[in-house]
Amino acid sequence: ICFLQVIWDIIGNKQFCSFKVKTKSQNFCRNEYSITGVCNRSSCPLANSQYATIREEKGQCFLYMKEIERAAFPARMWEKVRKLSKNYEKALEQIDENLIYWPRFLRHKCKQRFTKITQYLIRMRKLVLKRQRKLVPLSRKVESREKRKEEKALIAAQLDNAIEKELLERLKQGTYGDIYNFPVYAFDKALEQQDAESESDAEEEEEEDDEDVGQREFVAEDEVEESDLSDFEDMNKLKTSSDEEEQDESSEEEEEEEVQASRSKGKSPANGSLVRKKRAYVEIEYEQETESASRRRTT
Amino acid sequence: LKSKAPMKDLKMEEESSGVEKLEPGTTFPPTFSVSEIKNKQRRHQMFMKLKQEKRKQKMQLKKKRRKEREALGDKAPPKEVPKTIENQRVFDETTVDPEDEEIAFDEGTDEFSAYFNGLTNPKVLITTSDRPRGRVVKFCEQLATVIPNAHVYYRRGLALKRIIPQCIARDFTYLIVINQDRQTPNGLVLCHLPDGPTAHFKVSSVRLQKELKRRGKAPTEHSPEVILNNFSTRLGHTIGRLFAALFPQNPQFVGRQVATFHNQRDFIFFRFHRYIFKNEKKVGIQELGPRFTLKLRSLQKGTFDSKYGEFEWVLKRHEMDACRRKFQL
């Protein structure tokens, strides 16, 4: 036993111990069989001939015991005892019966260590059930590539223009209903700009809105009578609808819808036949206009 | 040495001034390239010369073409359209035809049909990952002002899988989780609640309301209109509907607010504007509200379940980013 004292003399304070980790306040022992992690005379596995530890592997705890008789055989020095019971108290009893007649210090420390180990095993099992955070590594190259792509896409998108276009489209299609004053005025003005001869356009503009009183710039032609004016109004609606739909077949339905919904003079149902006749006439006239309108939109 | 130095200077001057004079006299061997000259200054000069020549030729060609075009007048061939990535896009077979019946039927019976038939009103829960910091909190608040009927709740370490049943019990239709990385939002999980699809996005370039230039006042409580641009493929359609169902069905035009989700090359740009029609051909828009860009990372069939969920679409970088002209949305 005095050789153990010699060992401790050497590795304890005076010379080098490869398992010792020195910090400002304390020395730690990194030996895997150490029962407390602290470098002490009583808890150094090298300097004690009778020693016991608890170690765990993959969730199971084992009791390792070192005895003097086997000090000469390093390969067989540590005896491994498996703790069969998952039950905490039974395991403690097993430790007790294995370490019977051993010094109190070792028994106590073994039980303490076992307690700690079971506690952290329980915590590990609980954590697995809870939410686990997965760290996803970012690759710098990929990130910078994506950033540049995004910038280019942003430039290509021309967001403001797209949004404005979409809003104007919706205005034209009438999703806003009667909120705004100028839905049909738009078309009239546009067509007017194209065709210099369209007097009827000007007349329709005037008759359209009661609220557009101040905007009347064009004087009505003298030859046109009031009944004709209302017809022209309907035809204007037809024309605009045909512009929107770009199909002449649906203009009939449009005509009915708008007739019902419009704030027109109410003469239209009665003048159904008249309108149809006039409509035939009008279509011939305005064929070019629809074409040009569509062309305008595509360019 | 002294003699050589002035010689060199002379030569240089000759080069720079009499550039054209050198040309007809010298003939270079056919395999000569400018990069083989060892002297840096001379190399540079030769290269600049080369560039000038090329530019001149290009200008001449352009002028010629323009003259031809003017000469032909109406009969001139139409102007060539420059190639853009959008033009050259690889045709995606899942592009949706507007008249496709199968898709119309699918959309009539999918998870959003309840919304689009007007049965449910959207109610959105916005939350973050644990311990939101800095911009994420502000971002959440601003999102909540933009999306009507949205509530922000703090996460406090709750598991998503437990939140979801509670949300369903309280009639929420949407769950938004904003992920953060160093105090800025970088991920967004959008989960449609009663058994809906879950989409996971990467969020980038977030600008909060304060950081916008020429900003309008705060967004009001009116429900905004929604604009969805360029969602052309089947996947894009699903995502588009996902966004559309965030907002109430009937927008209040009085509010004059519009939320835009614009898809360009697989990046979805979100903007929130207030518009005003100046006249029938011009509309003015003013940006309120936060702006951010999203990139879809994965789309999952059921509600949020990263381990056992059935993924409808996952971003596989090696396959999908290989071709510059191929896009998914």
Side-chain angles (χ1 to χ4, degrees), chain A residues 16 26 57-59 97-98 111 145 154 159 176 263:
Chain A
F16 181 71
Q26 219 181 23
E57 274 161 42
K58 293 183 196 164
E97 74 186 52
N98 272 312
K111 284 190 236 169
R145 236 191 276 154
L154 182 64
L159 282 169
Y176 299 129
R263 343 159 199 101

Side-chain angles (χ1 to χ4, degrees), chain A residues 178 237 254-264:
Chain A
D178 291 342
K237 288 203 185 103
E254 289 289 309
E255 172 202 4
E256 286 164 10
E257 276 175 31
E258 284 183 1
V259 150
Q260 287 153 11
S262 69
R263 343 159 199 101
S264 68

Side-chain angles (χ1 to χ4, degrees), chain A residues 131 133 146 150 170 176 186, chain B residues 130 204-205 225-226 280 293:
Chain A
R131 323 152 45 212
R133 195 159 306 184
E146 299 244 312
E150 186 189 316
R170 289 192 184 179
Y176 299 129
Chain B
D130 289 343
S204 42
S205 54
E225 296 172 47
V226 181
E280 59 286 347
T293 54

